[in-house]
Amino acid sequence: NPVGFGTMGMTSALSLSVYLGVFGPGVQPFAILIAVLLPLVLSPALAWATRGKYYIARPRNLAPRADPVAEQTCLICGVRYEREDLASCPAYRGNICSLCCTLDVRCHDQCKPQAALTEQWTRFIGKFMPRSMVPYLKAGLGQYLLMMLGFTLFLGFVMSLLYYQEIITVKPGDDGLLDYLRSAYVRIGSALLLISGIIAWWMVLTSKSRHVAQEEARHQTGLLLQEINSHHQTDLLLQGAKRFADQANQAKSRYIMAISHELRTPLNSILGYAQILDGDASIPENRRQAVSVIRRSGDHLLSLIEGTLDIARIEGGKLRLEIKPLNFLEFVEQIVSMFEVQAHNKGIRFSYRASGELPAFVRADVSRLRQILINILGNAVKFTTQGEVVFHLRYQNEIAVFEIEDTGPGIDPKELELIFEPFARGTAAHAGATGGTGLGLTIAKMLTDLMGGELSVDSVLGRGSRFKIRLFLPHILPLQPANEPRHRRCVGYVGVRRRILVVDNEKNDRDLLVSMLGPLGFQLAEASNGQECLDILPGFCPHLIFMDLAMPDMDGWQTIRRIQSGGLSECEIAIISANAFERGTENEAGITAENFITKPVRLDDLVDWIGRHLKLEWVMAAEETALDRMPAQISPMVYPPLAQLQLLLNHVERGYVRGVMTELGEIEKLDPCHEGFVNVLRKLAGQFQFDAMKTLLKTGLGDVGERNE
């Protein structure tokens, strides 16, 4: 700082000169006064001469603010100052106070690059040197010359003092000794000057290295600050994207909930009456196929709705596992018997192979485990048109490993990565399939992960696939058997007639429950809203109330609370609603997930639920159930003669279903041994699976041809 150092140097030199009597003894007493008063004159004079460019951090052309007393906070000390006491620091990238600016030495005066001593010296001597030398001066020559000037003056001063001390001891007239001393001091001074030059250059190089290191550190710090700022901006964008995604997810959940409710309401009537008609023996045989198609189509639509809801529940973290004891052997037997019949009806083989000793009882979520196996096995049977499906099961160290192998079309390697994505269906999805939602594998994968298991797949295009499921199913003692409901056809119950009150604002849904439960011997009453339900209760005294949730004026929850708080009834209360998202959620009424029945209502499940809660003894129908009617041993596949097979193939290739049915009737009359073949073809024709029929008939043509040869 030329102002500070210049004032101090000039004042010290002048006051010391006066004190030592350089200006005479008359001025000598004023030395102290000169040392005190001279800086008061020199400081402003030098400041005016240099215009403050060497010590003022704030640019001179900065316009003052309209409010000069406005306060700001120092970035370093955190204290609030007036604006005039702050300056923008390029090192800290913010406002700092004058005190912090003075005490900080790490910034190396980035706000005043021209204030360094070497910069001032280089600029000074550059005025007396050619312009071509200026770059060399800035590259380090100027700093070297400045240091050499300092070393030369210092050595000259020291050597002069020593030489003076020596010559005052020399006797007058001894010129030889003076010449010797003069020569010796010149040689010593020259040697010291050479050494000083080397030291000065070494110091310049060290200073330059330090400067380069500091510049590199400053550059890296700037990059780090830039990266931190970029991360901050990215974080802000991610937070905004997360909020947007959460809002979109909530909107999706609301939409799914609304569309699910709207779809379940009419589907309840469709599937409900389809179940009633399917169990009605008076339905003509030629119309039973139509009823079966209606029910199968409704089940397909319901599977799409349930799959979408399951994915939404899992993604939203609202799906809870219901772990309870499971009769593992009986469970596996049911799964195997189910798909043995499906595979036989399609004309393919189904094999079950168990390795090792299986536990009698395990702990698991029965419905979710069944859902996983049905999705995987169902796909294997559905996409396999010829060959077999093999179901492997082994159990070791409380780990159950399910492997499902098939000889279907396989999966393209490019599609394996997307096979578990929602609504993803491969290019081979049409082979032998009747359609699908594209959610089965997705739900199976999510449920397996949720249960702490692992689901993997290996496939070879054109040769088949193998799915492997690993689940932790702890073995338990057979002390707490799981009472799995068996689907059965009931015609009534033993004992006092039970009264059931159906509360629903939709008349179609009330009529459906009346049609389902009326033939079983229940006394039924209907209410279209909550207030009507409260009015009926005292006179009807029901044993059971089926309550809908979405009702005008007073919804189902409010009605249940009024019943419970007013002591109007002590009967069982169950929810029958199309709002599946409410199932399993906490509520003040204490309605558990078991007592929450979602629409569409399945008659078998509803009858089982009523039997458990009202402790009924059912009266079974004389005829057997559909499960009991299944043959204990599957009829062998005996192909008809070659002519009939070729005629059937012609009808299939033309899509002539009536001709296929007529020809199958003729084959059935031809020989009873063809019963298995006829049943399979009729099943496939009823489902319009022309590809599967074509594959089966071509296989039969090959087998019959080989036998004839």
Side-chain angles (χ1 to χ4, degrees):
N1 183 0
V3 177
F5 282 95
T7 301
M8 182 181 66
M10 295 171 66
T11 302
S12 300
L14 183 59
S15 60
L16 286 174
S17 299
V18 171
Y19 178 76
L20 294 175
V22 176
F23 297 100
V27 188
Q28 191 174 9
F30 298 99
I32 297 177
L33 186 62
I34 291 173
V36 172
L37 297 179
L38 189 59
L40 301 179
V41 178
L42 287 177
S43 293
L46 291 176
W48 176 81
T50 59
R51 298 182 180 273
K53 65 179 181 179
Y54 298 114
Y55 65 94
I56 295 180
R58 187 183 299 111
R60 298 188 305 274
N61 58 355
L62 184 64
R65 292 184 57 178
D67 185 7
V69 297
E71 293 184 348
Q72 295 182 0
T73 303
C74 174
L75 189 65
I76 299 178
C77 64
V79 180
R80 297 186 63 83
Y81 294 95
E82 294 181 358
R83 183 174 178 271
E84 284 71 15
D85 291 328
L86 297 170
S88 178
C89 178
Y92 289 97
R93 298 185 180 183
N95 294 327
I96 63 172
C97 65
S98 58
L99 180 60
C100 293
C101 182
T102 304
L103 297 177
D104 192 279
V105 296
R106 294 172 295 176
C107 65
H108 300 285
D109 289 331
Q110 292 185 28
C111 59
K112 304 183 293 293
Q114 74 281 3
L117 179 60
T118 55
E119 183 69 24
Q120 296 181 41
W121 167 255
T122 301
R123 186 173 300 177
F124 174 74
I125 64 175
K127 296 179 181 180
F128 307 101
M129 299 183 70
R131 183 173 297 178
S132 60
M133 293 295 295
V134 174
Y136 297 99
L137 294 175
K138 293 182 177 180
L141 182 59
Q143 184 180 1
Y144 176 73
L145 294 176
L146 177 62
M147 296 186 69
M148 283 303 299
L149 177 62
F151 280 141
T152 302
L153 294 176
F154 177 74
L155 288 175
F157 177 73
V158 172
M159 296 299 294
S160 299
L161 287 178
L162 294 176
Y163 180 72
Y164 177 74
Q165 291 293 329
E166 290 292 335
I167 64 175
I168 62 176
T169 60
V170 178
K171 296 178 181 180
D174 195 353
D175 295 336
L177 182 58
L178 290 177
D179 292 339
Y180 175 76
L181 289 175
R182 187 180 302 111
S183 176
Y185 272 95
V186 169
R187 289 195 298 270
I188 294 173
S190 300
L192 291 177
L193 187 62
L194 178 60
I195 295 173
S196 299
I198 296 174
I199 294 175
W201 186 246
W202 175 77
M203 294 178 66
V204 169
L205 293 179
T206 303
S207 176
K208 285 294 181 183
S209 299
R210 185 173 61 252
H211 179 72
V212 171
Q214 291 173 349
E215 287 296 327
E216 180 65 22
R218 189 178 299 113
H219 176 67
Q220 295 298 331
T221 302
L223 292 179
L224 287 175
L225 292 175
Q226 183 178 0
E227 185 175 356
I228 291 173
N229 184 59
S230 300
H231 281 301
H232 179 67
Q233 297 296 328
T234 304
D235 183 66
L236 293 178
L237 294 175
L238 289 176
Q239 293 294 334
K242 182 178 180 299
R243 287 193 297 269
F244 178 78
D246 290 340
Q247 294 174 358
N249 192 43
Q250 293 175 1
K252 180 194 71 174
S253 297
R254 290 194 298 268
Y255 173 77
I256 291 176
M257 182 169 56
I259 199 68
S260 170
H261 183 275
E262 295 303 320
L263 289 174
R264 285 175 181 275
T265 301
L267 193 59
N268 185 46
S269 300
I270 296 173
L271 279 179
Y273 284 112
Q275 294 175 74
I276 295 174
L277 293 175
D278 198 22
D280 190 352
S282 62
I283 298 295
E285 188 63 31
N286 59 341
R287 298 301 182 194
R288 193 172 295 278
Q289 177 67 23
V291 174
S292 177
V293 171
I294 295 173
R295 185 171 181 179
R296 188 166 57 250
S297 300
D299 287 334
H300 175 68
L301 179 58
L302 180 61
S303 67
L304 175 60
I305 298 172
E306 292 291 351
T308 307
L309 287 178
D310 282 340
I311 292 178
R313 290 192 190 101
I314 295 173
E315 290 179 345
K318 297 181 179 180
L319 185 66
R320 298 180 180 179
L321 297 177
E322 299 178 5
I323 306 298
K324 57 183 179 180
L326 167 65
N327 189 331
F328 192 56
L329 297 178
E330 182 179 344
F331 171 81
V332 174
E333 182 182 351
Q334 292 175 1
I335 295 292
V336 170
S337 62
M338 179 191 308
F339 285 100
E340 277 181 344
V341 175
Q342 292 186 17
H344 175 261
N345 291 337
K346 197 172 180 182
I348 60 176
R349 296 185 301 276
F350 184 90
S351 302
Y352 166 62
R353 302 169 187 173
S355 302
E357 184 178 355
L358 299 181
F361 290 88
V362 297
R363 290 185 61 84
D365 187 322
V366 183
S367 61
R368 299 306 176 184
L369 180 58
R370 180 184 290 110
Q371 188 174 4
I372 293 173
L373 294 178
I374 287 178
N375 285 346
I376 303 298
L377 285 168
N379 278 350
V381 173
K382 180 169 63 176
F383 292 118
T384 302
T385 57
Q386 59 181 346
E388 65 176 344
V389 174
V390 182
F391 179 30
H392 297 271
L393 172 58
R394 66 177 183 271
Y395 186 92
Q396 187 177 6
N397 297 329
E398 299 191 338
I399 300 295
V401 180
F402 306 89
E403 293 187 14
I404 296 95
E405 296 185 33
D406 63 67
T407 57
I411 305 171
D412 192 291
K414 299 179 181 179
E415 299 172 352
L416 276 177
E417 299 179 357
L418 305 176
I419 197 65
F420 295 116
E421 294 295 326
F423 303 103
R425 304 188 66 206
T427 55
H430 66 279
T434 58
T437 63
L439 295 175
L441 291 179
T442 304
I443 296 172
K445 175 66 173 175
M446 287 183 168
L447 289 176
T448 304
D449 294 340
L450 187 65
M451 297 171 69
E454 178 185 358
L455 173 58
S456 59
V457 57
D458 296 321
S459 182
V460 178
L461 189 62
R463 298 180 59 183
S465 306
R466 181 172 66 92
F467 286 84
K468 184 177 181 179
I469 308 166
R470 291 171 51 89
L471 289 173
F472 176 66
L473 302 178
H475 171 250
I476 61 174
L477 296 176
L479 300 177
Q480 300 174 349
N483 296 323
E484 289 294 315
R486 289 182 172 274
H487 296 294
R488 52 197 176 182
R489 185 168 179 269
C490 306
V491 294
Y493 57 92
V494 178
V496 181
R497 300 299 90 185
R498 304 301 201 276
R499 295 179 295 276
I500 299 178
L501 175 59
V502 179
V503 185
D504 198 316
N505 64 317
E506 293 288 342
K507 186 177 185 305
N508 292 335
D509 292 342
R510 298 198 307 270
D511 293 342
L512 174 63
L513 288 177
V514 171
S515 301
M516 286 181 171
L517 302 177
L520 298 179
F522 293 104
Q523 297 181 17
L524 300 167
E526 303 178 36
S528 60
N529 54 62
Q531 187 58 50
E532 186 176 349
C533 169
L534 298 178
D535 296 339
I536 293 175
L537 276 178
F540 187 64
C541 297
H543 297 90
L544 176 63
I545 299 177
F546 286 133
M547 181 73 67
D548 187 24
L549 293 181
M551 294 186 297
D553 299 331
M554 184 188 302
D555 63 14
W557 294 122
Q558 294 175 335
T559 306
I560 294 174
R561 285 195 295 270
R562 291 278 296 274
I563 294 174
Q564 293 175 343
S565 61
L568 299 177
S569 178
E570 299 295 333
C571 66
E572 289 276 353
I573 300 178
I575 299 294
I576 296 183
S577 174
N579 188 357
F581 269 91
E582 295 283 349
R583 188 175 188 269
T585 59
E586 296 182 0
N587 54 83
E588 298 178 357
I591 303 297
T592 62
E594 182 185 3
N595 296 338
F596 196 110
I597 303 171
T598 56
K599 297 178 182 178
V601 178
R602 295 192 178 276
L603 179 58
D604 293 335
D605 296 338
L606 183 64
V607 169
D608 285 330
W609 188 92
I610 295 174
R612 289 196 308 271
H613 287 75
L614 296 185
K615 297 179 175 57
L616 300 179
E617 179 184 350
W618 293 108
V619 176
M620 307 303 296
E623 64 271 16
E624 296 174 316
T625 63
L627 185 61
D628 296 331
R629 286 197 303 268
M630 292 188 306
Q633 295 182 349
I634 297 174
S635 302
M637 181 76 67
V638 179
Y639 292 101
L642 196 62
Q644 279 78 9
L645 286 175
Q646 188 61 50
L647 184 58
L648 281 173
L649 182 59
N650 295 336
H651 291 328
V652 169
E653 289 177 345
R654 289 185 299 162
Y656 186 31
V657 179
R658 184 176 297 178
V660 171
M661 291 297 189
T662 303
E663 187 62 28
L664 288 175
E666 296 296 330
I667 294 174
E668 189 176 22
K669 297 176 183 178
L670 183 64
D671 194 334
C673 68
H674 302 312
E675 180 182 0
F677 172 81
V678 171
N679 291 335
V680 171
L681 263 293
R682 277 179 177 166
K683 183 75 173 180
L684 295 176
Q687 298 175 355
F688 301 98
Q689 297 189 36
F690 293 106
D691 291 337
M693 286 190 291
K694 189 183 301 183
T695 302
L696 184 61
L697 291 173
K698 288 182 178 179
T699 303
L701 285 172
D703 293 345
V704 174
E706 291 178 0
R707 288 198 304 269
N708 292 340
E709 291 177 0

